[in-house]
Amino acid sequence: MGIISIGGSIRHLGVGALSLLLVSSAALAAPQTILVNAKIFTADPALPYAQAVAIEDGRILMVGSNEQARALAGPNTRIIDAGGRLVTPGLTEAHVHLGEAFPTPPVPMPGLPFPGPTAEQLLSAIEQAAKTRTDWVSATIGPQIARDRRNWRKALDAVAPNTPVLLRAFWGHVNITNSEGFRRLGITEDIADPLGGWWGRDESGRLDGGGYEAETIMRRIQPANLERLAALLGEAQQRYARWGVTSIHLMNDNKSLEVTLAGLGIAKPLQKWTIYSWGSFGSRSVPDAWAAIDRVADRTLPKVRVEGPKWVLDGTPIEQNSVQRADYVVRPGWRGRSDFTDAQLREILQLGLTRPTQLALHVVGDAETDRVLKMMTELAPAAAWREKRVRIEHGDGIGPDAFEKVAQLGLVVIQNPTHLALPPTGGQKIPDHSRVLQGFVTAGIPLALGSDGGVKEQNPFLNLMLAVLVPNDPSEALTREQALTAYTSGGAYAEGQEKLRGRLAPGFAADLAVLSQDVLTVPTPQIPMTTSLLTMVDGEVIFEDAVLMSAR
């Protein structure tokens, strides 16, 4: 039996009927491009593997055998011999942060990423740098500094009294500055906590240097420079094209939607971009976040969509601010801190139900996950939530006891395989529920994969390797087919585009990649070495390697 999709439905046809349909299609319009002699992973359950694919007008015309594809060719059809290589739907980077930058090149620090510099190493390096600088002294910190609850404002003032200092956690949830930094930013003691974040204070109520969540310091220190942002986004999409990534879900922290859209306009998008607006950026109230989306409704760009808002509901275990059911091992009596009150969270969820854009929630701690699931259940029936397709970014707090509820609500989990390889730090045991991948698939919870890369994009094939290993708990490892599905059709489903892209099937967008090696069979340590030899978006080539060109 042959299988073909017409108007989004799958129909089963006999071989004769399928051949007649193919001939009729060829008579109407020969495909622009045909790939033959390939191992095609379609991500389509109806026809998981094929030899050839035909493309016409930016869409998949046919997926099947070499003979069927060649029968469609016309005099102007470009025929590409894939030489037996693996061809996949274009990969989706389902969670990345791009365009962030320090105000000055950061001072090198030892021990990164884990555990990062000690307090003595950090202060010594800052003191030396401050002797020759009047502009900002910047540095990346790890968990050792983020968990050190000393008054960092005073500590930095002692080594850099006249030079502004910015310390930023590599995972982005903690920023620290000194008195001179506060002065230059116009931050005074009476500053109010921003929506979804807070300023650290000592016992007397004075600022202690810390800024947590919400762009407390970063959005003040260096408003996004349009030209620089455009260059960073342009460079990122070029590198992503070389990895076969055709869709990018950008978590738009530290910058406005207006500047990001303008930057992408200058960069001229190669891939399909979905920008998830940052709920707390510049917002004084929860409704302000949706107002920010409304303001850019008429600023459309080809290949660019705006979704969100994304709300960061708690921190992470690294700095120990994700909200956990049990005390942190090295901090008795402390279980983390929610970024929003119950009233604010209720308002976020209620507006999410009524507004047309998709809601995305950063939820990490198991207790914070409990709070979200309980409130969602109270506010609306499961069917209403399934229609909204709420994204749970990271999903580290979803354990087996929550699987059934998450599946009922139709939540989509975007997991980041690099999180599953993080070592325990500061004596904190990694809870069992922080390493889930296979459990989601088995429970029927939709899964997409993203890097959670910050500042720069991250190799998707490194994350794919980690997804099939899960070093901290191999029982949660995905099969290679499951991981590749999560990176392709899973990413499309995560943003509600599963009827348009994410599979190589008739009628779907011709977004695909010809890979340099077969990630389904190569030795596991070699998976991160994979690149794309040919990347297409809507049937247009956005990258082609000389190896494939010379082979033709």
Side-chain angles (χ1 to χ4, degrees), residues 269-289:
L270 296 177
Q271 288 91 348
K272 294 170 181 175
W273 291 74
T274 298
I275 305 170
Y276 282 87
S277 66
W278 206 258
S280 56
F281 184 87
S283 300
R284 295 179 179 272
S285 67
V286 171
D288 286 349

Side-chain angles (χ1 to χ4, degrees), residues 14-66:
V15 174
L18 177 59
S19 300
L20 178 61
L21 179 59
L22 293 176
V23 170
S24 298
S25 297
L28 290 173
Q32 295 165 329
T33 307
I34 291 176
L35 273 75
V36 295
N37 295 331
K39 176 183 176 181
I40 297 177
F41 176 81
T42 68
D44 183 0
L47 184 68
Y49 289 94
Q51 292 179 317
V53 59
I55 299 165
E56 168 62 23
D57 196 26
R59 298 282 168 183
I60 303 297
L61 178 64
M62 186 280 300
V63 179
S65 69
N66 291 328

Side-chain angles (χ1 to χ4, degrees), residues 162-386:
N162 302 309
T163 306
V165 177
L166 171 65
L167 309 180
R168 181 163 172 79
F170 71 80
W171 61 101
H173 288 253
V174 180
N175 299 293
I176 298 171
T177 192
N178 61 350
S179 293
E180 179 60 15
F182 281 143
R183 187 188 70 79
R184 296 203 186 189
L185 295 174
I187 295 172
T188 58
E189 294 294 341
D190 60 352
I191 189 171
D193 286 342
L195 180 69
W198 70 94
W199 297 100
R201 295 183 182 274
D202 61 20
E203 294 180 354
S204 67
R206 287 179 53 81
L207 295 171
D208 66 8
Y212 302 91
E213 310 297 356
E215 299 76 15
T216 44
I217 292 175
M218 287 300 290
R219 68 169 296 209
R220 291 168 171 267
I221 199 168
Q222 187 180 12
N225 177 280
L226 180 57
E227 289 73 22
R228 175 61 177 155
L229 178 62
L232 289 172
L233 296 176
E235 293 164 4
Q237 64 180 3
Q238 290 286 349
R239 284 189 285 268
Y240 270 133
R242 288 165 170 78
W243 280 318
V245 171
T246 59
S247 297
I248 300 168
H249 299 178
L250 176 65
M251 306 294 118
N252 199 50
D253 52 331
N254 291 320
K255 48 195 173 295
S256 69
L257 286 171
E258 287 88 347
V259 74
T260 299
L261 289 170
L264 277 173
I266 295 172
K268 294 182 171 49
L270 296 177
Q271 288 91 348
K272 294 170 181 175
W273 291 74
T274 298
I275 305 170
Y276 282 87
S277 66
W278 206 258
S280 56
F281 184 87
S283 300
R284 295 179 179 272
S285 67
V286 171
D288 286 349
W290 276 274
I293 296 175
D294 293 340
R295 286 196 298 271
V296 300
D298 60 346
R299 302 187 188 187
T300 57
L301 286 172
K303 301 181 183 177
V304 179
R305 304 169 61 243
V306 174
E307 287 288 354
K310 176 193 171 182
W311 298 96
V312 179
L313 301 186
D314 66 346
T316 81
I318 304 177
E319 81 287 348
Q320 299 181 334
N321 281 332
S322 62
V323 185
Q324 308 288 356
R325 296 171 183 170
D327 292 355
Y328 281 91
V329 173
V330 295
R331 197 174 174 184
W334 178 253
R335 298 187 178 186
R337 172 172 173 168
S338 295
D339 295 340
F340 296 91
T341 66
D342 283 350
Q344 289 171 329
L345 177 58
R346 186 173 294 106
E347 189 174 20
I348 287 170
L349 295 175
Q350 287 174 327
L351 278 172
L353 282 168
T354 61
R355 295 300 302 262
T357 51
Q358 187 182 22
L359 187 63
L361 304 175
H362 163 115
V363 190
V364 173
D366 51 6
E368 188 68 16
T369 299
D370 293 341
R371 184 170 78 124
V372 171
L373 296 179
K374 181 176 183 292
M375 194 170 292
M376 291 178 76
T377 303
E378 293 171 350
L379 289 174
W385 289 114
R386 286 195 296 271

